[in-house]
Amino acid sequence: MTLEEYRERADSAKRIVFFGGAGVSTESGIPDFRSVDGLYNQKYDEPPETILSADYFYAHTEKFYKFYFDKMICTSAKPNAAHIKLAEWEKAGKLSAVVTQNIDGLHQAAGSKKVYELHGSTLRNVCTHCGRRYSLADILKTAPNVPKCACGGIIKPDVVLYGEPLPQIETERAVSEIMKADMLIVGGTSLTVYPAAAFIGYYRGAPENLILINKTPIAGFVNQLNGKIGEIL
């Protein structure tokens, strides 16, 4: 199909859901994990999958935060054309929800209201002892040292680390939205991170309305547009 044909399908859809990954935020200057320049292809004493695990967080909290503050926080990032277009679609009543694997809060910064964050958010942080909540600005005051709560407990980012389950309520609501969608646009993801990547299996709409937008082609995906997601949207 041509870009114009995809646009016609989007125009006729009534319940569009967008499922996005790291590629949505790379155009805002936030590095992804699996590209040539991604975190997984950079050299560290331990691989990022190890550092960003729950076991590592509790066993080596200081090392975790040095990596976290250095590589996972980008306070200068702003919403790009993709974030802005999706927020416009929602405001116009075309987009039902955004389901994202990203943890940067850029969809909300662009104006999107109905956003399901499968992997949490760097903007929220919680004391592992008393449950008190802290903002990103709060914990940045201690960087690169371990942030501590007023009660003395260690503060943990409200993000899903390797070895942790996805948030139940957020997951259930995201699945419900995908099941009700008459168009599912998958964008900026390699579809290799599970269980999140399996979410597209809940789509019940027309097969021709399941669309992938990604810089690089993904084998087996029938309807796909390859290029910058901001430009295509």
Side-chain angles (χ1 to χ4, degrees):
M1 286 194 289
T2 65
L3 183 59
E4 180 61 33
E5 288 172 321
Y6 281 113
R7 183 165 63 179
E8 289 174 359
R9 289 192 174 279
D11 286 343
S12 62
K14 293 180 171 57
R15 291 188 64 90
I16 299 174
V17 170
F18 180 82
F19 179 91
V24 179
S25 294
T26 54
E27 291 172 39
S28 292
I30 296 178
D32 67 359
F33 277 66
R34 290 173 172 79
S35 68
V36 173
D37 299 319
L39 292 178
Y40 285 173
N41 291 308
Q42 298 178 26
K43 301 299 182 184
Y44 299 99
D45 291 339
E46 292 111 339
E49 303 101 311
T50 299
I51 300 172
L52 296 174
S53 68
D55 288 345
Y56 194 91
F57 172 83
Y58 290 107
H60 308 283
T61 311
E62 187 173 340
K63 285 185 177 181
F64 170 91
Y65 265 111
K66 285 181 178 178
F67 178 89
Y68 183 79
F69 284 132
D70 185 35
K71 295 297 181 182
M72 303 302 292
I73 303 297
C74 185
T75 56
S76 62
K78 304 296 181 185
N80 60 53
H83 299 108
I84 293 168
K85 177 53 65 177
L86 292 169
E88 289 176 356
W89 276 1
E90 182 185 37
K91 188 175 181 180
K94 294 291 295 180
L95 187 80
S96 298
V98 169
V99 180
T100 181
Q101 300 175 74
N102 296 334
I103 57 177
D104 49 49
L106 291 180
H107 284 292
Q108 293 91 329
S112 290
K113 306 297 183 186
K114 207 169 184 180
V115 181
Y116 298 110
E117 297 170 311
L118 299 180
H119 295 158
S121 173
T122 61
L123 305 185
R124 301 186 300 269
N125 304 271
V126 61
C127 173
T128 56
H129 180 68
C130 72
R132 182 174 176 177
R133 296 278 174 173
Y134 289 87
S135 68
L136 176 58
D138 290 331
I139 71 165
L140 283 176
K141 294 174 184 176
T142 71
N145 300 316
V146 177
K148 297 286 185 69
C149 177
C151 77
I154 294 171
I155 298 172
K156 177 184 177 296
D158 189 15
V159 299
V160 177
L161 300 176
Y162 287 99
E164 294 182 321
L166 300 184
Q168 183 177 352
I169 294 177
E170 203 87 345
T171 297
E172 290 174 352
R173 291 174 178 172
V175 168
S176 177
E177 289 291 347
I178 291 172
M179 291 180 72
K180 292 183 290 186
D182 62 1
M183 172 174 277
L184 179 61
I185 300 176
V186 181
T189 174
S190 60
L191 295 176
T192 57
V193 178
Y194 285 85
F199 276 46
I200 63 172
Y202 291 103
Y203 174 66
R204 297 291 182 266
E208 60 269 24
N209 280 357
L210 174 58
I211 300 166
L212 172 73
I213 303 175
N214 203 45
K215 269 191 174 181
T216 56
I218 295 181
F221 216 104
V222 178
N223 305 307
Q224 55 182 304
L225 295 164
N226 302 124
K228 291 185 176 181
I229 189 167
E231 293 178 1
I232 291 173
L233 282 180

